[in-house]
Amino acid sequence: KQEVTQIPAALSVPEGENLVLNCSFTDSAIYNLQWFRQDPGKGLTSLLLIQSSQREQTSGRLNASLDKSSGRSTLYIAASQPGDSATYLCAVDGSGYSTLTFGKGTMLLVSP
Amino acid sequence: GAVVSQHPSRVICKSGTSVKIECRSLDFQATTMFWYRQFPKQSLMLMATSNEGSKATYEQGVEKDKFLINHASLTLSTLTVTSAHPEDSSFYICSASPGTSGGYNEQFFGPGTRLTVL
């Protein structure tokens, strides 16, 4: 059974810092990996999707990498801003049928 | 972009009553819809997958007679929590995909429904 772990569980940084969020998964036979953002009491916003054949994806200040063989992904956030404060969720699709397994998330707080 | 809505956003009900949550895809046709449950500080857990016009596929451990899912049209799926109990209190999130379950298609998530059972 696929398990997704995210480290750290919580992170607090001052504005402007670059930071890295980690995601690991136990079964490397995945079709894709996604990073989502969730604001308190809200739904999910998709940030980046990495197909299993890709190594990284970039969107603005966000860069996600994928090392499928080692079962790891990182989300890099450059020049963090208070508006980046949210919970970041990592999810993998191990079935190819859009069935996602989520991690518990990293709660990020960026202080002004 | 693709927008998914949920209604209601919050609901409080008494133990033993039934609650219906609606999930709508507003600007696309959703062949497949997914229902998730999220407890505080926990992962989203997939409850069931539904394709329009067919019965939902439930994940192991999810009672299909308690969590009734109807996907009667390409823009609407409903989740009914029957005979709700306090342990059913949770955050329920739906997602919708324009494709079928075979092969990856992006999921678009709704804003969630907070259910509190007294």
Side-chain angles (χ1 to χ4, degrees), chain A residues 6 8-9 19 21-23 34-39 45 47 61-62 75 77 81-91 102-110:
Chain A
Q6 290 187 245
L19 55 99
L21 308 181
N22 297 290
C23 172
Q34 276 188 272
W35 283 94
F36 294 88
R37 169 186 173 137
Q38 185 177 29
D39 292 287
T45 301
L47 298 174
R61 294 182 294 109
L62 305 179
L75 178 66
I77 302 177
Q81 303 172 357
D84 295 331
S85 298
T87 295
Y88 290 80
L89 296 167
C90 167
F102 284 84
K104 292 184 179 180
T106 293
M107 187 182 300
L108 173 66
L109 176 63
V110 181

Side-chain angles (χ1 to χ4, degrees), chain A residues 1-107:
Chain A
K1 178 184 175 184
Q2 179 75 269
E3 292 184 3
V4 179
T5 303
Q6 290 187 245
I7 294 174
L11 181 63
S12 182
V13 300
E15 182 177 6
E17 274 203 8
N18 302 324
L19 55 99
V20 175
L21 308 181
N22 297 290
C23 172
S24 61
F25 43 96
T26 54
D27 186 347
S28 62
I30 66 169
Y31 285 80
N32 58 69
L33 181 145
Q34 276 188 272
W35 283 94
F36 294 88
R37 169 186 173 137
Q38 185 177 29
D39 292 287
K42 304 293 184 182
L44 275 63
T45 301
S46 179
L47 298 174
L48 290 165
L49 165 70
I50 310 177
Q51 301 286 1
S52 62
S53 59
Q54 298 174 323
R55 284 201 168 267
E56 66 176 346
Q57 283 286 332
T58 298
S59 176
R61 294 182 294 109
L62 305 179
N63 176 277
S65 67
L66 173 64
D67 184 343
K68 202 174 85 162
S69 61
S70 68
R72 295 182 181 181
S73 176
T74 60
L75 178 66
Y76 176 83
I77 302 177
S80 58
Q81 303 172 357
D84 295 331
S85 298
T87 295
Y88 290 80
L89 296 167
C90 167
V92 299
D93 179 3
S95 68
Y97 290 89
S98 307
T99 303
L100 299 177
T101 302
F102 284 84
K104 292 184 179 180
T106 293
M107 187 182 300

Side-chain angles (χ1 to χ4, degrees), chain B residues 35-88:
Chain B
W35 286 95
Y36 296 85
R37 181 167 53 183
Q38 185 180 33
F39 292 106
K41 298 189 186 300
Q42 299 296 314
S43 306
L44 272 76
M45 298 297 295
L46 180 66
M47 299 175 67
T49 302
S50 71
N51 289 302
E52 184 265 339
S54 60
K55 290 184 178 180
T57 302
Y58 290 80
E59 294 299 301
Q60 191 174 8
V62 178
E63 301 174 58
K64 63 179 181 181
D65 294 330
K66 181 171 183 62
F67 298 99
L68 302 179
I69 293 172
N70 184 285
H71 190 170
S73 79
L74 286 172
T75 59
L76 174 64
S77 176
T78 60
L79 168 67
T80 301
V81 183
T82 63
S83 187
H85 288 95
E87 57 266 29
D88 298 323

